[in-house]
Amino acid sequence: MARLQYSDFLRQLYGHKVQKLNVNAGFSCPNRDGTKGRGGCIYCNNASFTPAFGHASSSVTQQLLDAKLFYACKYADMKYVAYFQSFTNTYAQIEKLRELYDEALAVDDVVGLVISTRPDCLGDDVLDLLHSINEEHKVIVEIGVETSHDRTLELINRCHSWQCAQNAINKVAQRGLTVGAHLI
Ligand code: SF4
């Protein structure tokens, strides 16, 4: 069976060739602020994948405009998806989430969202919001699963279980959202 490249999968989902643009919206994480744990997962280093234009001191709009400029000279006719990647991108009050996601979708040629989060940060209110956005703009929810071994989850200080990840994957899929799992 032929494997589908991720870029082709995105093209099918969005109906265009799309480039993911990283956004650092200034979120924190319950595994760093003491809500679930302190110090975070043992490998946590968000700076390692944050591009030069992805600093939380800039607005979401400005980060996306800067990123678009970076890619615009490489590809003609490109569309974009805003990739909320840094930290836990559903970890805020629902109105704040709505405001940030709407801001991203208001940028020209941004046709969808990719939201990276923990499995224990996908309450019904968040899923309702993502479901409503998905009716007009496709949303991919990327869940940090990492492993199906609870012992390993404990060793890397994830502060959630494999069962929690399974529940989250099922809930996201049941809302008709596209779901991805990060493994380590
Ligand atoms: S869940 Fe993500 S942001 Fe939070 S501590 Fe772990 S790797 Fe870092």
Side-chain angles (χ1 to χ4, degrees):
M1 189 171 71
R3 271 197 218 146
L4 189 64
Q5 297 286 327
Y6 186 57
S7 55
D8 294 329
F9 167 76
L10 291 177
R11 187 199 293 258
Q12 280 184 12
L13 186 68
Y14 290 102
H16 303 270
K17 185 171 172 52
V18 293
Q19 172 70 47
K20 285 165 82 175
L21 303 180
N22 294 58
V23 172
N24 182 346
F27 288 104
S28 179
C29 173
N31 199 20
R32 297 170 66 98
D33 69 7
T35 302
K36 293 298 295 269
R38 285 208 184 275
C41 310
I42 59 171
Y43 54 84
C44 181
N45 181 6
N46 281 263
S48 67
F49 52 74
T50 302
F53 42 75
H55 286 291
S57 54
S58 300
S59 69
V60 166
T61 303
Q62 193 58 53
Q63 290 178 52
L64 288 169
L65 292 175
D66 291 347
K68 273 180 65 178
L69 260 186
F70 180 81
Y71 287 107
C73 56
K74 290 176 83 175
Y75 309 107
D77 267 354
M78 182 66 84
K79 301 286 184 192
Y80 302 95
V81 288
Y83 183 22
F84 287 80
Q85 183 182 22
S86 300
F87 299 99
T88 299
N89 293 274
T90 56
Y91 187 49
Q93 296 294 317
I94 203 73
E95 285 314 318
K96 184 66 184 173
L97 295 178
R98 190 191 311 275
E99 186 186 306
L100 290 167
Y101 302 157
D102 283 352
E103 183 179 347
L105 288 166
V107 174
D108 278 352
D109 295 326
V110 172
V111 295
L113 301 178
V114 181
I115 311 285
S116 175
T117 190
R118 290 171 55 87
D120 52 6
C121 288
L122 285 163
D124 286 342
D125 54 348
V126 173
L127 291 171
D128 286 346
L129 172 62
L130 296 178
H131 172 76
S132 70
I133 295 171
N134 192 55
E135 293 190 329
E136 210 175 329
H137 303 280
K138 288 281 176 239
V139 178
I140 300 174
V141 181
E142 293 189 351
I143 301 176
V145 171
E146 315 312 348
T147 172
S148 59
H149 295 281
D150 282 332
R151 174 74 184 124
T152 306
L153 288 169
E154 204 177 307
L155 282 171
I156 63 177
N157 197 39
R158 283 289 300 179
C159 293
H160 66 73
S161 64
W162 164 228
Q163 185 62 57
C164 174
Q166 291 176 83
N167 294 345
I169 290 167
N170 286 330
K171 283 201 302 185
V172 171
Q174 282 162 6
R175 298 296 181 114
L177 299 156
T178 304
V179 58
H182 284 201
L183 301 173
I184 200 162

